[in-house]
Amino acid sequence: MDPLRTLWETFFDWESMREALPEMITVGLPNTLILAVTAALLGSALGIVLAVAGISRTRWLRWPARVYTDVFRGLPAAATILLIGVGLAPLGMQVWGPNPYPLGILALSLIASAYIGEIFRSGIQSVEATQLEAARALGFSWGEAMRRVIIPQGIRRILPAWVNQLIALIKDSSLVYFLGLLASQRELFRIGQDYAANTGNQSALLLAGLFYLALTVPLTHVVNWIDRRLRHGRPATGPADDDPDDLDLALPGAAGGNQR
């Protein structure tokens, strides 16, 4: 029973959790959401550009987009965060001062854009080619057809995958602590790590993990719900649920048929 007791005392010290809880709610949770949501929005904007460039017929657009995607998808997230956060630190000092927070957001955005760009590209290419041909036949230019017809349909199809990427960003935000955030900028994992270092007990880290679960598990179910709605559509309502006799009366000539 000693290993179980050690495990319980190391990770399930309720007093340590209670001590870390207020700061996780007021500091860690908002910063985690800011990092993840901001990176997702910036990554989506850049991802659309990468997706359109990746399917372009122009080589000088297509090849740089593919190289960018391969590089940022191939590098570990921690390595990218360190490259951006440390490599661009002198520039960040001139623009933001001694504040690594924006560089952390930039690094997460670059990582996200590589993945989201591929998600958008697959969604755009899943739209039937006849849609583009029909738009061009109506007088749209290639850019107008992509912007008004193809991209909106592609975005609708990739919503589940986009939410999955948001879940990944929520977890990857824990890596920004490598940059040495200020006390007011710490995210959930960093706060848990600090409390664990100060108390010698790992319960605060477990509490941080529970926060991540509370964020990601509902989003996972949202992904599944969106996927079902997109694949099967809304439940049938309206005339199909009415009485068949009422439908007969509503059809043209049905009254004459009943009289016969």
Side-chain angles (χ1 to χ4, degrees):
M1 296 297 292
D2 288 340
L4 293 178
R5 181 178 179 181
T6 301
L7 177 67
W8 183 265
E9 292 177 352
T10 302
F11 290 98
F12 296 93
D13 185 344
W14 307 117
E15 183 63 26
S16 297
M17 290 186 179
R18 186 184 65 80
E19 184 180 352
L21 182 61
E23 194 167 6
M24 286 195 177
I25 294 175
T26 58
V27 178
L29 181 60
N31 283 325
T32 295
L33 291 176
I34 289 172
L35 287 168
V37 173
T38 306
L41 294 177
L42 294 176
S44 297
L46 182 55
I48 292 179
V49 175
L50 289 172
V52 175
I55 62 176
S56 173
R57 297 178 180 179
T58 306
R59 290 185 179 180
W60 64 270
L61 287 176
R62 186 172 66 252
W63 285 108
R66 291 183 178 178
V67 170
Y68 176 97
T69 300
D70 289 340
V71 169
F72 282 100
R73 289 180 71 188
L75 285 174
T80 302
I81 291 172
L82 285 174
L83 284 172
I84 300 299
V86 177
L88 297 182
L91 177 61
M93 286 286 292
Q94 297 177 8
V95 179
W96 300 294
N99 182 5
Y101 202 75
L103 291 176
I105 292 177
L106 175 61
L108 289 175
S109 301
L110 295 177
I111 296 169
S113 65
Y115 289 94
I116 294 175
E118 285 297 285
I119 292 171
F120 279 132
R121 184 182 63 81
S122 63
I124 292 171
Q125 291 182 326
S126 70
V127 179
E128 295 78 5
T130 53
Q131 297 276 345
L132 180 59
E133 295 171 0
R136 295 299 300 274
L138 291 174
F140 289 105
S141 66
W142 186 87
E144 289 176 333
M146 292 294 294
R147 186 174 67 254
R148 298 185 180 183
V149 180
I150 305 301
I151 291 179
Q153 294 184 63
I155 289 177
R156 180 184 177 187
R157 297 182 183 188
I158 56 88
L159 278 177
W162 186 90
V163 178
N164 275 328
Q165 185 58 38
L166 176 60
I167 292 173
L169 280 172
I170 290 174
K171 294 183 290 186
D172 285 346
S173 66
S174 63
L175 299 174
V176 176
Y177 84 93
F178 286 138
L179 303 182
L181 299 175
L182 302 177
S184 60
Q185 298 172 337
R186 294 175 299 167
E187 32 68 45
L188 288 168
F189 181 78
R190 182 61 183 180
I191 291 176
Q193 190 180 46
D194 287 347
Y195 273 95
N198 292 333
T199 63
N201 189 280
Q202 307 301 314
S203 300
L205 280 175
L206 177 62
L207 180 61
L210 294 176
F211 269 95
Y212 284 110
L213 285 176
L215 291 172
T216 58
V217 170
L219 282 175
T220 302
H221 290 287
V222 168
V223 169
N224 295 334
W225 179 80
I226 292 174
D227 185 55
R228 286 196 301 270
R229 290 294 297 268
L230 293 179
R231 284 190 291 109
H232 303 297
R234 296 182 179 179
T237 57
D241 296 331
D242 295 335
D243 187 84
D245 294 335
D246 295 337
L247 289 178
D248 291 340
L249 294 175
L251 294 174
N258 290 338
Q259 291 175 356
R260 287 195 299 269

